Amino acid sequence: MRQQSNSLLNKSLSITIVFGAIVMLLLFSSCGGRNKAMADAITERDSLPVMDTRGVTTLISDSGVTRYRVNTEEWLIFDKKKPSYWAFEKGIYLEQFDSLFHVDASIKADTAYYYDRDRLWKLIGNVDIKSLKGDHVSTELLYWNEATKKVYTDKFVQMEQPDQVITGYGFESDDRFLKPVVHNIAGIFYVDQDAEKAKTDSVN
């Protein structure tokens, strides 16, 4: 009778061990599936740049004509994003050329995004523009639409010209900065050129 009890006990333990092993295998299998799914989600194609280039100085053409020189520490291209865009998140310095390869204007910013399908630049942080005729524009946000050849912002802007400094909220211009306009003017400060010249002469 005791031997029969021991036999039943041993069978019961064996069944329990086998059942436990099966449960553990199923658990490990399901955990592995979850990890794989998470890895797939992290490495989705649209979240990765198709190009990642560092320390870039390059020329960019438009319709076969060289229009820009770009200098940046990092250039990322996200072609699968909607909308697709280029990212310059470590700063950018950009020069725009006319058809004779003369510099029309230079622009620098802390961050920039270029939406290639819309041909739209979005410049963010310490945006600084210098035009061929000597105007100097600074703001924190600026849009530049290549398709319409317009530059604009609705943020605070300061424009320095040879004879005056204008501040306001909102700015627009053609992309060669030949006809800049400051909106909602907050102040106009005139430069006394004679006084500045006298000061410079006295220093010299």
Side-chain angles (χ1 to χ4, degrees):
M1 185 73 175
R2 180 175 298 176
Q3 290 178 350
Q4 185 176 2
S5 297
N6 289 337
S7 176
L8 288 173
L9 180 60
N10 289 335
K11 287 182 178 179
S12 176
L13 286 172
S14 298
I15 291 171
T16 301
I17 291 169
V18 170
F19 180 76
I22 292 171
V23 169
M24 292 297 291
L25 286 172
L26 288 173
L27 285 174
F28 282 129
S29 174
S30 64
C31 287
R34 283 198 297 272
N35 287 338
K36 186 176 186 301
M38 288 177 65
D40 289 343
I42 292 171
T43 59
E44 287 180 359
R45 173 65 183 82
D46 64 357
S47 67
L48 299 174
V50 68
M51 187 188 83
D52 181 346
T53 308
R54 308 300 171 97
V56 181
T57 298
T58 188
L59 299 174
I60 299 177
S61 298
D62 182 10
S63 302
V65 178
T66 300
R67 292 300 309 277
Y68 314 109
R69 178 188 286 120
V70 175
N71 192 337
T72 182
E73 287 299 315
E74 180 183 73
W75 181 2
L76 307 176
I77 295 181
F78 294 89
D79 65 331
K80 299 301 180 183
K81 288 286 189 180
K82 296 183 179 179
S84 59
Y85 64 90
W86 304 352
F88 305 88
E89 296 183 339
K90 294 186 178 181
I92 188 172
Y93 176 76
L94 187 148
E95 291 179 334
Q96 180 184 352
F97 303 114
D98 64 14
S99 59
L100 298 176
F101 211 65
H102 298 143
V103 177
D104 275 338
S106 65
I107 300 175
K108 64 180 179 179
D110 292 342
T111 304
Y113 298 97
Y114 178 66
Y115 299 93
D116 53 315
R117 294 190 178 182
D118 294 329
R119 300 177 64 193
L120 177 67
W121 288 90
K122 182 179 181 181
L123 303 152
I124 306 169
N126 295 309
V127 182
D128 187 271
I129 305 165
K130 292 181 180 178
S131 72
L132 180 64
K133 68 176 187 175
D135 291 343
H136 181 192
V137 178
S138 56
T139 185
E140 288 300 309
L141 175 67
L142 188 78
Y143 293 94
W144 175 9
N145 191 319
E146 290 182 8
T148 63
K149 300 186 181 300
K150 296 295 183 183
V151 177
Y152 56 93
T153 184
D154 61 356
K155 302 300 182 183
F156 178 80
V157 64
Q158 176 173 295
M159 181 171 69
E160 299 178 21
Q161 296 179 316
D163 60 340
Q164 62 184 0
V165 177
I166 304 173
T167 60
Y169 292 85
F171 171 83
E172 64 178 320
S173 174
D174 59 290
D175 63 357
R176 296 183 65 188
F177 298 94
L178 298 177
K179 298 179 179 179
V181 177
V182 177
H183 297 293
N184 300 312
I185 293 175
I188 300 178
F189 309 94
Y190 291 97
V191 177
D192 188 342
Q193 294 180 334
D194 292 336
E196 285 295 321
K197 185 177 183 303
K199 182 179 179 181
T200 302
D201 291 341
S202 66
V203 170
N204 292 335

